[in-house]
Coordinates of all heavy atoms in Angstrom, one line a residue:
M5 N -38.9 23.0 -15.4 CA -38.4 23.0 -16.7 C -36.9 23.1 -16.5 O -36.3 23.9 -15.8 CB -38.9 24.3 -17.4 CG -38.4 24.3 -18.8 SD -39.3 25.6 -19.8 CE -37.9 26.3 -20.6
T6 N -36.2 22.2 -17.2 CA -34.7 22.2 -17.2 C -34.1 22.9 -18.3 O -34.6 22.9 -19.4 CB -34.2 20.8 -17.2 OG1 -34.6 20.1 -18.4 CG2 -34.7 20.0 -16.0
T7 N -33.1 23.6 -18.0 CA -32.4 24.5 -19.1 C -31.2 23.6 -19.6 O -30.8 22.5 -19.1 CB -31.9 25.7 -18.5 OG1 -30.8 25.5 -17.5 CG2 -32.9 26.5 -17.8
R8 N -30.7 24.1 -20.7 CA -29.5 23.4 -21.2 C -28.3 23.4 -20.2 O -27.6 22.4 -20.2 CB -29.1 24.2 -22.5 CG -27.9 23.6 -23.2 CD -27.6 24.3 -24.5 NE -28.6 23.8 -25.4 CZ -28.4 23.8 -26.7 NH1 -27.2 24.2 -27.2 NH2 -29.3 23.4 -27.6
D9 N -28.2 24.5 -19.5 CA -27.1 24.5 -18.4 C -27.3 23.4 -17.4 O -26.4 22.8 -16.9 CB -26.9 25.8 -17.8 CG -26.3 26.9 -18.7 OD1 -25.7 26.5 -19.7 OD2 -26.5 28.1 -18.4
D10 N -28.6 23.3 -17.0 CA -29.0 22.3 -16.0 C -28.7 20.8 -16.5 O -28.1 20.0 -15.8 CB -30.4 22.3 -15.6 CG -30.8 23.5 -14.8 OD1 -29.9 24.1 -14.2 OD2 -32.0 23.9 -14.8
Q11 N -29.0 20.6 -17.8 CA -28.7 19.3 -18.4 C -27.2 19.1 -18.5 O -26.7 18.0 -18.2 CB -29.3 19.2 -19.8 CG -30.8 19.2 -19.8 CD -31.4 19.3 -21.1 OE1 -30.7 19.7 -22.1 NE2 -32.7 19.0 -21.2
H12 N -26.4 20.2 -18.8 CA -25.0 20.1 -18.9 C -24.4 19.7 -17.5 O -23.5 18.8 -17.4 CB -24.4 21.3 -19.5 CG -22.9 21.3 -19.5 ND1 -22.2 20.5 -20.4 CD2 -22.0 21.9 -18.7 CE1 -20.9 20.7 -20.1 NE2 -20.7 21.5 -19.1
D13 N -24.9 20.4 -16.5 CA -24.4 20.2 -15.1 C -24.7 18.7 -14.7 O -23.8 18.1 -14.0 CB -25.0 21.2 -14.2 CG -24.5 22.6 -14.4 OD1 -23.5 22.8 -15.0 OD2 -25.1 23.5 -13.8
E14 N -25.8 18.2 -15.0 CA -26.3 16.9 -14.6 C -25.3 15.9 -15.4 O -24.9 14.9 -14.7 CB -27.7 16.6 -15.0 CG -28.1 15.3 -14.5 CD -29.7 15.2 -14.8 OE1 -30.5 16.1 -14.8 OE2 -30.1 14.0 -14.9
R15 N -25.1 16.1 -16.7 CA -24.2 15.1 -17.3 C -22.8 15.2 -16.8 O -22.1 14.1 -16.7 CB -24.1 15.5 -18.9 CG -25.4 15.1 -19.6 CD -25.2 15.1 -21.2 NE -24.7 16.5 -21.6 CZ -25.6 17.4 -21.9 NH1 -26.9 17.3 -21.9 NH2 -25.1 18.6 -22.3
A16 N -22.3 16.4 -16.4 CA -21.0 16.5 -15.8 C -21.0 15.7 -14.4 O -20.0 15.0 -14.1 CB -20.7 18.0 -15.6
R17 N -22.0 15.9 -13.7 CA -22.1 15.1 -12.3 C -22.1 13.7 -12.6 O -21.4 12.9 -11.9 CB -23.3 15.6 -11.5 CG -23.1 17.0 -10.9 CD -24.2 17.2 -9.9 NE -25.5 17.2 -10.4 CZ -26.1 18.3 -11.0 NH1 -25.4 19.4 -11.0 NH2 -27.3 18.2 -11.5
D18 N -22.9 13.2 -13.6 CA -22.9 11.8 -13.9 C -21.5 11.3 -14.4 O -21.1 10.2 -13.9 CB -23.9 11.5 -15.1 CG -25.4 11.7 -14.6 OD1 -25.6 11.8 -13.4 OD2 -26.2 11.7 -15.5
A19 N -20.8 12.0 -15.2 CA -19.6 11.6 -15.6 C -18.5 11.6 -14.5 O -17.8 10.6 -14.4 CB -19.1 12.6 -16.7
E20 N -18.7 12.5 -13.6 CA -17.7 12.5 -12.4 C -18.0 11.3 -11.6 O -17.1 10.7 -11.1 CB -17.9 13.9 -11.6 CG -17.0 13.9 -10.4 CD -17.2 15.3 -9.7 OE1 -17.2 16.3 -10.3 OE2 -17.2 15.2 -8.5
R21 N -19.3 11.0 -11.4 CA -19.6 9.7 -10.6 C -19.1 8.5 -11.3 O -18.6 7.6 -10.6 CB -21.2 9.7 -10.3 CG -21.7 10.5 -9.2 CD -23.0 10.1 -8.9 NE -24.0 10.4 -9.9 CZ -24.6 11.6 -10.1 NH1 -24.4 12.5 -9.2 NH2 -25.5 11.7 -11.1
D22 N -19.2 8.5 -12.6 CA -18.7 7.3 -13.3 C -17.2 7.2 -13.2 O -16.7 6.1 -13.0 CB -19.1 7.4 -14.9 CG -20.6 7.2 -15.1 OD1 -21.3 6.8 -14.2 OD2 -21.0 7.6 -16.2
V23 N -16.5 8.3 -13.3 CA -15.0 8.3 -13.1 C -14.6 7.7 -11.7 O -13.8 6.9 -11.5 CB -14.4 9.6 -13.5 CG1 -12.9 9.7 -13.1 CG2 -14.5 9.9 -15.0
A24 N -15.3 8.4 -10.7 CA -15.1 8.0 -9.4 C -15.3 6.5 -9.2 O -14.6 5.8 -8.5 CB -15.9 8.8 -8.4
A25 N -16.5 6.0 -9.7 CA -16.8 4.5 -9.6 C -15.7 3.7 -10.2 O -15.3 2.7 -9.7 CB -18.1 4.2 -10.2
H26 N -15.2 4.1 -11.4 CA -14.2 3.4 -12.1 C -12.9 3.3 -11.2 O -12.2 2.3 -11.1 CB -13.9 4.0 -13.4 CG -12.7 3.4 -14.1 ND1 -12.7 2.0 -14.7 CD2 -11.4 3.7 -14.2 CE1 -11.5 1.7 -15.1 NE2 -10.7 2.8 -14.9
L27 N -12.5 4.5 -10.7 CA -11.3 4.6 -9.8 C -11.4 3.7 -8.6 O -10.5 3.1 -8.2 CB -11.0 6.0 -9.5 CG -10.6 7.0 -10.6 CD1 -10.6 8.4 -10.1 CD2 -9.3 6.5 -11.2
M28 N -12.6 3.7 -8.0 CA -12.9 2.9 -6.8 C -12.7 1.4 -7.1 O -12.2 0.6 -6.4 CB -14.2 3.2 -6.3 CG -14.4 4.5 -5.6 SD -13.8 4.6 -3.9 CE -15.0 3.6 -3.0
Q29 N -13.3 1.1 -8.2 CA -13.3 -0.4 -8.7 C -11.9 -0.7 -9.0 O -11.4 -1.9 -8.6 CB -14.2 -0.5 -9.9 CG -14.2 -2.0 -10.3 CD -15.1 -2.2 -11.6 OE1 -15.3 -1.3 -12.3 NE2 -15.7 -3.3 -11.6
Q30 N -11.1 0.1 -9.7 CA -9.8 -0.2 -10.1 C -8.8 -0.2 -9.0 O -7.8 -1.0 -8.9 CB -9.4 0.7 -11.3 CG -8.1 0.3 -12.0 CD -8.3 -0.8 -12.9 OE1 -9.4 -1.1 -13.4 NE2 -7.2 -1.5 -13.3
Y31 N -8.9 0.9 -8.2 CA -7.8 1.1 -7.2 C -8.2 1.1 -5.7 O -7.4 1.2 -4.8 CB -7.2 2.4 -7.4 CG -6.5 2.6 -8.8 CD1 -7.2 3.3 -9.8 CD2 -5.4 2.0 -9.2 CE1 -6.7 3.4 -11.1 CE2 -4.8 2.1 -10.4 CZ -5.5 2.8 -11.4 OH -4.9 2.8 -12.7
G32 N -9.5 1.1 -5.5 CA -10.0 1.2 -4.1 C -10.2 2.7 -3.7 O -10.1 3.6 -4.6
P33 N -10.6 3.0 -2.5 CA -11.0 4.3 -2.1 C -9.8 5.3 -2.0 O -10.0 6.5 -2.2 CB -11.6 4.2 -0.7 CG -11.1 2.9 -0.2 CD -10.8 2.0 -1.5
L34 N -8.6 4.8 -1.8 CA -7.4 5.6 -1.7 C -6.5 5.3 -2.9 O -6.1 4.1 -3.1 CB -6.6 5.4 -0.4 CG -7.2 6.1 0.8 CD1 -6.4 5.7 2.0 CD2 -7.2 7.6 0.7
L35 N -6.0 6.3 -3.6 CA -5.0 6.1 -4.6 C -3.7 6.5 -4.1 O -3.5 7.7 -3.6 CB -5.4 6.9 -5.9 CG -6.4 6.3 -6.7 CD1 -7.8 6.6 -6.1 CD2 -6.4 6.9 -8.1
G36 N -2.7 5.7 -4.2 CA -1.3 6.0 -3.7 C -0.5 6.6 -4.9 O -1.0 6.8 -6.0
R37 N 0.8 6.8 -4.7 CA 1.7 7.4 -5.7 C 1.6 6.7 -7.0 O 1.6 7.3 -8.0 CB 3.1 7.5 -5.2 CG 3.4 8.6 -4.2 CD 4.8 8.4 -3.6 NE 5.8 8.4 -4.5 CZ 6.9 7.7 -4.5 NH1 7.1 7.0 -3.5 NH2 7.8 7.8 -5.4
D38 N 1.7 5.4 -7.0 CA 1.9 4.7 -8.3 C 0.5 4.8 -9.0 O 0.5 5.1 -10.2 CB 2.1 3.1 -8.0 CG 3.5 2.9 -7.5 OD1 4.4 3.7 -7.7 OD2 3.7 1.8 -6.9
A39 N -0.6 4.7 -8.4 CA -1.9 4.8 -9.1 C -2.0 6.3 -9.5 O -2.5 6.5 -10.7 CB -3.0 4.5 -8.1
L40 N -1.8 7.3 -8.7 CA -1.9 8.7 -9.1 C -1.0 9.0 -10.3 O -1.3 9.7 -11.2 CB -1.6 9.6 -7.9 CG -2.6 9.6 -6.8 CD1 -2.0 10.3 -5.5 CD2 -3.9 10.2 -7.3
T41 N 0.3 8.5 -10.3 CA 1.1 8.7 -11.4 C 0.5 8.2 -12.7 O 0.4 8.8 -13.7 CB 2.5 7.9 -11.1 OG1 3.1 8.5 -10.0 CG2 3.4 8.0 -12.3
K42 N -0.1 6.9 -12.6 CA -0.7 6.4 -13.8 C -1.9 7.1 -14.2 O -2.1 7.6 -15.4 CB -1.1 4.9 -13.6 CG -1.6 4.2 -14.7 CD -2.0 2.8 -14.4 CE -2.5 2.0 -15.6 NZ -2.7 0.6 -15.3
V43 N -2.9 7.3 -13.3 CA -4.2 8.0 -13.6 C -4.0 9.5 -14.1 O -4.7 9.9 -15.0 CB -5.1 7.9 -12.4 CG1 -6.3 8.9 -12.5 CG2 -5.5 6.5 -12.1
L44 N -3.1 10.1 -13.5 CA -2.8 11.5 -13.9 C -1.9 11.7 -15.1 O -1.7 12.8 -15.5 CB -2.3 12.3 -12.7 CG -3.3 12.4 -11.4 CD1 -2.6 13.2 -10.3 CD2 -4.6 13.0 -11.8
G45 N -1.4 10.6 -15.6 CA -0.6 10.6 -16.8 C 0.9 11.1 -16.7 O 1.5 11.6 -17.7
F46 N 1.5 10.9 -15.5 CA 2.9 11.3 -15.4 C 3.8 10.2 -16.0 O 3.4 9.0 -15.9 CB 3.2 11.6 -14.0 CG 2.7 12.8 -13.4 CD1 1.4 12.8 -12.8 CD2 3.4 14.0 -13.6 CE1 0.9 14.1 -12.3 CE2 2.8 15.2 -13.1 CZ 1.7 15.2 -12.4
P47 N 4.9 10.5 -16.5 CA 5.7 9.4 -17.2 C 6.4 8.6 -16.1 O 6.8 7.5 -16.5 CB 6.8 10.3 -18.0 CG 6.8 11.6 -17.3 CD 5.4 11.8 -16.7
S48 N 6.6 9.1 -14.9 CA 7.3 8.3 -13.9 C 6.8 8.8 -12.5 O 6.3 9.9 -12.4 CB 8.8 8.5 -13.9 OG 9.2 9.8 -13.7
V49 N 7.1 8.0 -11.5 CA 6.7 8.4 -10.1 C 7.6 9.6 -9.7 O 7.1 10.5 -9.0 CB 7.0 7.2 -9.2 CG1 6.8 7.6 -7.7 CG2 6.0 6.0 -9.4
E50 N 8.9 9.6 -10.2 CA 9.7 10.7 -10.0 C 9.2 12.0 -10.4 O 9.2 13.1 -9.8 CB 11.1 10.5 -10.4 CG 11.8 9.3 -9.8 CD 11.4 8.0 -10.2 OE1 10.8 7.8 -11.3 OE2 11.7 7.0 -9.5
A51 N 8.6 12.0 -11.7 CA 8.0 13.2 -12.3 C 6.8 13.6 -11.5 O 6.6 14.8 -11.2 CB 7.6 12.9 -13.8
F52 N 6.0 12.7 -11.0 CA 4.8 13.0 -10.1 C 5.3 13.6 -8.8 O 4.8 14.7 -8.4 CB 4.0 11.7 -9.8 CG 3.0 11.9 -8.7 CD1 1.7 12.5 -9.1 CD2 3.3 11.4 -7.5 CE1 0.8 12.7 -8.0 CE2 2.3 11.6 -6.5 CZ 1.1 12.3 -6.7
D53 N 6.3 13.0 -8.2 CA 6.9 13.6 -6.9 C 7.4 15.0 -7.2 O 7.1 15.8 -6.3 CB 8.0 12.7 -6.4 CG 7.6 11.3 -5.9 OD1 6.3 11.2 -5.6 OD2 8.4 10.5 -5.7
R54 N 8.1 15.3 -8.2 CA 8.6 16.7 -8.5 C 7.4 17.7 -8.6 O 7.4 18.8 -8.1 CB 9.5 16.7 -9.8 CG 10.9 16.2 -9.5 CD 11.8 16.5 -10.7 NE 11.3 16.0 -11.9 CZ 11.5 14.8 -12.4 NH1 12.3 13.9 -11.7 NH2 11.0 14.4 -13.6
Y55 N 6.4 17.2 -9.4 CA 5.2 18.1 -9.6 C 4.6 18.4 -8.2 O 4.2 19.5 -7.9 CB 4.3 17.4 -10.5 CG 3.2 18.2 -11.2 CD1 3.6 19.0 -12.2 CD2 1.9 18.2 -10.8 CE1 2.7 19.8 -12.8 CE2 1.0 19.0 -11.4 CZ 1.4 19.8 -12.5 OH 0.4 20.6 -13.1
V56 N 4.5 17.4 -7.4 CA 3.8 17.6 -6.0 C 4.7 18.5 -5.2 O 4.3 19.4 -4.6 CB 3.6 16.2 -5.3 CG1 3.2 16.4 -3.9 CG2 2.5 15.5 -6.1
Q57 N 6.1 18.3 -5.2 CA 7.0 19.0 -4.3 C 7.0 20.4 -4.8 O 7.2 21.4 -3.9 CB 8.4 18.4 -4.5 CG 8.6 17.1 -3.7 CD 9.9 16.4 -4.1 OE1 10.7 16.9 -4.9 NE2 10.2 15.4 -3.3
R58 N 6.8 20.8 -6.0 CA 6.8 22.2 -6.5 C 5.4 22.9 -6.3 O 5.3 24.1 -6.5 CB 7.1 22.2 -8.0 CG 8.6 21.8 -8.2 CD 8.9 21.7 -9.7 NE 10.3 21.3 -9.8 CZ 10.8 20.7 -11.0 NH1 9.9 20.5 -12.0 NH2 12.0 20.3 -11.1
G59 N 4.5 22.1 -5.7 CA 3.3 22.7 -5.4 C 2.3 23.0 -6.6 O 1.3 23.7 -6.5
H60 N 2.6 22.2 -7.6 CA 1.7 22.4 -8.9 C 0.4 21.6 -8.9 O -0.5 21.9 -9.7 CB 2.5 22.0 -10.1 CG 3.7 22.9 -10.4 ND1 3.7 24.2 -10.4 CD2 5.0 22.6 -10.4 CE1 4.8 24.8 -10.6 NE2 5.7 23.8 -10.6
L61 N 0.3 20.5 -8.1 CA -0.9 19.6 -8.1 C -2.0 20.2 -7.3 O -1.9 20.2 -6.0 CB -0.5 18.2 -7.7 CG -1.6 17.2 -7.9 CD1 -2.0 17.1 -9.3 CD2 -1.1 15.9 -7.3
A62 N -3.0 20.7 -7.9 CA -4.3 21.2 -7.2 C -5.2 20.1 -6.8 O -6.4 20.2 -7.1 CB -4.9 22.3 -8.0
L63 N -4.7 19.1 -6.1 CA -5.5 18.0 -5.6 C -5.1 17.8 -4.2 O -3.9 17.8 -3.8 CB -5.1 16.8 -6.5 CG -5.7 15.5 -6.1 CD1 -7.2 15.5 -6.2 CD2 -5.1 14.4 -7.0
R64 N -6.1 17.6 -3.4 CA -5.9 17.3 -2.0 C -5.3 16.0 -1.7 O -5.8 14.9 -2.1 CB -7.2 17.4 -1.2 CG -7.1 17.2 0.3 CD -8.4 17.4 1.0 NE -9.6 17.2 0.2 CZ -10.8 17.6 0.4 NH1 -11.0 18.4 1.4 NH2 -11.7 17.3 -0.4
L65 N -4.1 16.0 -1.2 CA -3.3 14.8 -0.9 C -3.2 14.7 0.6 O -3.1 15.7 1.3 CB -1.9 14.9 -1.5 CG -1.8 15.0 -3.0 CD1 -0.3 15.1 -3.5 CD2 -2.4 13.8 -3.7
A66 N -3.2 13.4 1.0 CA -3.1 13.1 2.5 C -1.8 12.3 2.7 O -1.4 11.5 1.9 CB -4.4 12.3 3.0
R67 N -1.2 12.5 3.9 CA -0.1 11.7 4.4 C -0.5 11.0 5.7 O -0.3 11.6 6.7 CB 1.1 12.5 4.6 CG 1.7 13.2 3.3 CD 2.9 14.0 3.6 NE 3.3 14.8 2.5 CZ 4.1 14.4 1.5 NH1 4.6 13.2 1.5 NH2 4.4 15.3 0.6
P68 N -1.2 9.9 5.6 CA -1.7 9.2 6.8 C -0.5 8.9 7.8 O 0.6 8.6 7.3 CB -2.3 7.9 6.3 CG -2.5 8.1 4.8 CD -1.4 9.1 4.4
P69 N -0.8 8.9 9.1 CA 0.2 8.6 10.0 C 0.7 7.2 9.9 O -0.1 6.3 9.5 CB -0.6 8.8 11.4 CG -1.9 9.2 11.2 CD -2.1 9.3 9.6
N70 N 2.0 7.0 10.1 CA 2.6 5.7 10.0 C 2.5 5.1 8.7 O 2.6 3.8 8.5 CB 2.1 4.7 11.1 CG 2.1 5.3 12.5 OD1 3.2 5.8 12.8 ND2 1.2 5.2 13.3
R71 N 2.4 5.9 7.6 CA 2.3 5.3 6.1 C 3.3 6.3 5.4 O 3.4 7.4 5.7 CB 0.9 5.5 5.6 CG -0.2 4.8 6.2 CD -0.2 3.3 5.9 NE -0.3 2.9 4.5 CZ -1.3 2.8 3.8 NH1 -2.6 2.9 4.3 NH2 -1.2 2.4 2.4
R72 N 3.9 5.7 4.5 CA 4.8 6.4 3.6 C 4.0 6.9 2.4 O 3.1 6.2 1.8 CB 5.9 5.5 3.1 CG 7.1 5.5 4.1 CD 8.2 4.9 3.4 NE 8.6 3.7 4.1 CZ 9.6 2.9 3.8 NH1 10.4 3.3 2.9 NH2 9.9 1.9 4.5
G73 N 4.4 7.9 1.8 CA 3.8 8.4 0.6 C 2.6 9.3 0.7 O 2.2 9.5 1.9
V74 N 2.0 9.7 -0.4 CA 0.8 10.5 -0.3 C -0.4 9.6 -1.0 O -0.1 8.7 -1.8 CB 1.0 11.8 -1.1 CG1 2.0 12.7 -0.4 CG2 1.4 11.5 -2.6
F75 N -1.5 10.0 -0.6 CA -2.7 9.3 -1.0 C -3.8 10.4 -1.4 O -3.8 11.5 -0.8 CB -3.2 8.4 0.0 CG -2.3 7.3 0.4 CD1 -1.3 7.5 1.4 CD2 -2.3 6.1 -0.3 CE1 -0.4 6.5 1.7 CE2 -1.5 5.1 0.1 CZ -0.5 5.3 1.1
A76 N -4.7 10.0 -2.2 CA -5.8 10.9 -2.5 C -7.1 10.0 -2.6 O -7.0 8.8 -3.0 CB -5.6 11.6 -3.9
L77 N -8.2 10.6 -2.3 CA -9.5 9.8 -2.3 C -9.9 9.8 -3.7 O -9.9 10.8 -4.5 CB -10.5 10.5 -1.5 CG -10.3 10.5 0.0 CD1 -11.3 11.4 0.7 CD2 -10.4 9.2 0.5
A78 N -10.4 8.7 -4.1 CA -10.9 8.4 -5.5 C -11.9 9.5 -6.0 O -11.8 10.1 -7.1 CB -11.6 7.0 -5.6
P79 N -12.9 9.9 -5.1 CA -13.8 11.0 -5.6 C -13.1 12.3 -5.9 O -13.4 13.0 -6.8 CB -14.8 11.0 -4.5 CG -14.8 9.8 -3.8 CD -13.4 9.3 -3.9
D80 N -12.1 12.6 -5.0 CA -11.3 13.9 -5.2 C -10.5 13.8 -6.5 O -10.5 14.8 -7.2 CB -10.3 14.1 -4.0 CG -11.1 14.4 -2.8 OD1 -12.2 14.8 -2.8 OD2 -10.4 14.3 -1.7
V81 N -9.9 12.6 -6.8 CA -9.2 12.5 -8.1 C -10.2 12.7 -9.3 O -9.9 13.3 -10.2 CB -8.5 11.1 -8.2 CG1 -7.8 11.0 -9.5 CG2 -7.5 11.1 -7.0
A82 N -11.4 12.0 -9.2 CA -12.4 12.2 -10.3 C -12.8 13.5 -10.4 O -12.9 14.1 -11.6 CB -13.7 11.3 -9.9
R83 N -13.0 14.3 -9.3 CA -13.4 15.8 -9.4 C -12.2 16.6 -10.0 O -12.5 17.4 -10.9 CB -13.7 16.3 -8.0 CG -14.3 17.6 -7.9 CD -14.8 18.0 -6.5 NE -15.6 16.9 -5.9 CZ -15.2 16.1 -4.9 NH1 -14.0 16.3 -4.4 NH2 -16.0 15.2 -4.5
Y84 N -11.0 16.3 -9.7 CA -9.8 17.0 -10.2 C -9.7 16.7 -11.8 O -9.6 17.6 -12.6 CB -8.6 16.5 -9.5 CG -7.3 17.1 -10.2 CD1 -6.9 18.3 -9.9 CD2 -6.5 16.2 -10.9 CE1 -5.8 18.9 -10.5 CE2 -5.3 16.8 -11.5 CZ -5.0 18.0 -11.2 OH -3.8 18.5 -11.8
L85 N -9.9 15.4 -12.2 CA -9.8 15.1 -13.6 C -11.0 15.8 -14.4 O -10.7 16.3 -15.5 CB -9.9 13.6 -13.8 CG -8.7 12.8 -13.4 CD1 -9.0 11.3 -13.3 CD2 -7.5 13.1 -14.2
M86 N -12.1 15.9 -13.9 CA -13.2 16.5 -14.5 C -13.0 18.1 -14.6 O -13.2 18.7 -15.6 CB -14.5 16.2 -13.8 CG -15.0 14.8 -13.9 SD -15.0 14.0 -15.6 CE -16.4 15.1 -16.2
K87 N -12.4 18.6 -13.5 CA -12.1 20.0 -13.6 C -11.1 20.4 -14.6 O -11.3 21.3 -15.4 CB -11.6 20.5 -12.1 CG -11.3 22.0 -12.1 CD -10.7 22.4 -10.8 CE -10.4 23.9 -10.7 NZ -9.9 24.5 -11.8
I88 N -10.0 19.6 -14.6 CA -9.0 20.0 -15.7 C -9.5 19.7 -17.1 O -9.2 20.5 -18.0 CB -7.6 19.3 -15.4 CG1 -7.7 17.8 -15.6 CG2 -7.0 19.7 -14.1 CD1 -6.3 17.1 -15.5
S89 N -10.4 18.8 -17.2 CA -11.0 18.6 -18.5 C -11.9 19.7 -18.9 O -11.8 20.2 -20.0 CB -11.8 17.2 -18.6 OG -12.4 17.0 -19.8
R90 N -12.7 20.1 -17.9 CA -13.7 21.2 -18.2 C -12.9 22.5 -18.4 O -13.4 23.3 -19.3 CB -14.6 21.2 -17.0 CG -15.7 22.4 -17.1 CD -16.6 22.3 -15.8 NE -15.8 22.5 -14.6 CZ -15.6 21.6 -13.7 NH1 -16.2 20.4 -13.7 NH2 -15.0 21.9 -12.5
D91 N -11.9 22.7 -17.7 CA -11.1 24.0 -17.8 C -10.3 24.2 -19.0 O -9.7 25.2 -19.3 CB -10.4 24.3 -16.5 CG -11.2 24.5 -15.3 OD1 -12.5 24.8 -15.5 OD2 -10.7 24.5 -14.2
G92 N -10.2 23.0 -19.7 CA -9.3 23.0 -20.9 C -7.8 23.0 -20.7 O -7.1 23.2 -21.5
D93 N -7.4 22.6 -19.4 CA -6.0 22.5 -19.1 C -5.4 21.2 -19.8 O -4.1 21.2 -19.9 CB -5.7 22.5 -17.6 CG -6.1 23.7 -16.9 OD1 -6.2 24.7 -17.6 OD2 -6.2 23.8 -15.7
V94 N -6.1 20.3 -20.2 CA -5.7 19.1 -20.9 C -5.4 19.4 -22.4 O -6.3 19.9 -23.1 CB -6.6 18.0 -20.7 CG1 -6.2 16.7 -21.5 CG2 -6.9 17.6 -19.3
L95 N -4.2 19.2 -22.8 CA -3.7 19.3 -24.2 C -3.8 20.8 -24.7 O -3.9 21.0 -25.8 CB -4.6 18.4 -25.1 CG -4.6 16.9 -24.9 CD1 -5.5 16.2 -25.8 CD2 -3.2 16.5 -25.0
G96 N -3.9 21.7 -23.7 CA -3.8 23.1 -24.1 C -5.0 23.6 -25.0 O -4.8 24.2 -26.0
L97 N -6.2 23.3 -24.6 CA -7.3 23.6 -25.4 C -7.9 24.9 -25.1 O -9.1 25.2 -25.6 CB -8.5 22.5 -25.2 CG -8.1 21.1 -25.5 CD1 -9.2 20.1 -25.2 CD2 -7.8 21.0 -27.0
E98 N -7.2 25.8 -24.5 CA -7.6 27.1 -24.2 C -8.3 27.9 -25.5 O -9.2 28.5 -25.3 CB -6.6 28.0 -23.5 CG -6.2 27.6 -22.2 CD -5.1 26.5 -22.2 OE1 -4.6 26.2 -23.3 OE2 -4.7 26.0 -21.2
S99 N -7.6 27.7 -26.5 CA -8.0 28.5 -27.7 C -9.3 28.0 -28.2 O -10.0 28.8 -28.8 CB -6.9 28.2 -28.9 OG -6.8 26.9 -29.2
E100 N -9.7 26.8 -27.9 CA -11.0 26.4 -28.4 C -12.1 27.0 -27.5 O -13.3 27.0 -27.9 CB -11.1 24.8 -28.3 CG -10.3 24.2 -29.4 CD -10.5 22.7 -29.5 OE1 -11.5 22.2 -28.8 OE2 -9.7 22.0 -30.0
K101 N -11.8 27.5 -26.4 CA -12.8 28.2 -25.6 C -12.8 29.7 -25.8 O -13.3 30.4 -24.9 CB -12.4 27.9 -24.0 CG -12.6 26.5 -23.7 CD -12.1 26.1 -22.3 CE -12.7 27.0 -21.3 NZ -12.3 26.7 -19.9
G102 N -12.2 30.1 -26.8 CA -12.2 31.6 -27.1 C -11.1 32.4 -26.5 O -11.2 33.6 -26.5
K103 N -10.2 31.7 -25.9 CA -9.1 32.4 -25.2 C -7.9 32.4 -26.2 O -7.7 31.5 -27.0 CB -8.6 31.6 -24.0 CG -9.7 31.7 -23.0 CD -9.1 30.8 -21.8 CE -10.2 30.7 -20.7 NZ -9.7 29.9 -19.5
P104 N -7.1 33.4 -26.1 CA -5.9 33.5 -27.0 C -4.9 32.5 -26.8 O -4.8 31.9 -25.8 CB -5.4 35.0 -26.8 CG -6.0 35.4 -25.5 CD -7.3 34.6 -25.2

């Protein structure tokens, strides 16, 4: 017997897979600075770079040898987007979750 929580978790996993598949189709398995800037909604690459340099981005980034810039795996980006959506960090929705 599945509970409401189980159904919610399954829908969340499906949504995460859908987002990851879209990112893979659109950008490939690795998203670079330009793609991350766009997908994460930063106004510019410079704004993205500042956010990363200040240690605010809770997303695993890689700096491959002999390559410039940072990259993230599409499934990691999808997981990050789902997490910030679920946690209410997007658009300051904390109050809708019963938080002050």
Side-chain angles (χ1 to χ4, degrees):
M5 182 169 141
T6 60
T7 67
R8 182 175 280 209
D9 286 341
D10 291 339
Q11 291 171 344
H12 176 74
D13 290 345
E14 187 175 331
R15 282 194 305 273
R17 283 190 300 274
D18 289 346
E20 185 177 311
R21 277 192 297 270
D22 290 346
V23 170
H26 172 75
L27 292 173
M28 288 280 288
Q29 182 179 31
Q30 190 76 22
Y31 302 103
L34 280 178
L35 283 77
R37 282 174 56 216
D38 291 339
L40 289 167
T41 297
K42 182 177 181 179
V43 169
L44 299 177
F46 286 92
S48 67
V49 173
E50 293 78 17
F52 170 77
D53 288 344
R54 282 191 304 273
Y55 199 75
V56 170
Q57 288 169 352
R58 292 175 181 157
H60 295 303
L61 187 62
L63 173 64
R64 183 177 21 204
L65 299 174
R67 296 181 193 273
N70 303 318
R71 299 279 307 268
R72 278 194 240 183
V74 294
F75 299 84
L77 292 170
D80 290 344
V81 175
R83 192 172 308 111
Y84 174 76
L85 290 171
M86 296 305 294
K87 180 186 181 322
I88 63 173
S89 176
R90 180 179 58 246
D91 291 350
D93 292 345
V94 176
L95 302 175
L97 298 176
E98 294 85 3
S99 62
E100 288 187 18
K101 293 172 58 176
K103 295 181 183 176

